[in-house]
Structures are given as structure tokens and as C-alpha cells.
Amino acid sequence: MAEVSDARFLTVAEVAEIMRVSKMTVYRLVHSGELPAIRFGRSYRVPESAVTDALHRPIADVG
């Protein structure tokens, strides 16, 4: 397991850019629990590893 000090956190805007979605979509993913995030004051930070995991998950079952 990675140490907390090794974790890299991204802003919602950075996550949106990486995932090629809007910031609102990132907020929806955070609020639904699909994307873990830590709240710092009024803003959220998302662990980079969670973004990587989300990008490798299938989005929807088709068929």
C-alpha cells in the first residue's frame, strides 16, 4: 500500500482535463462515490491513482 506522503492529488479541473470531461461531470462522480476525493475547505482533491483506476474501468455495459 502506498504511503499517504507518496500520494499525488489533483484538482477537479486537472481531473476534468485528464478524463476529457467537464468539471461538473467530475463533481458528479465525486458526489456519487464513483471517484474518491478528499475535501480541503471548499474544494476537492482527487488521488491521481483513483483517476488512473477510473480510466481503466469500463464505463457502461453495452448490449
Side-chain angles (χ1 to χ4, degrees), residues 18-59:
I18 291 167
M19 295 180 80
R20 302 250 196 274
V21 296
S22 71
K23 289 192 289 186
M24 188 51 67
T25 299
V26 177
Y27 283 117
R28 279 192 211 107
L29 291 170
V30 168
H31 289 296
S32 71
E34 291 181 57
L35 196 61
I38 296 172
R39 192 162 184 181
F40 288 106
R42 294 177 61 194
S43 62
Y44 289 93
R45 295 294 184 271
V46 180
E48 190 175 36
S49 59
V51 176
T52 304
D53 292 346
L55 289 172
H56 289 95
R57 274 197 313 260
I59 303 298

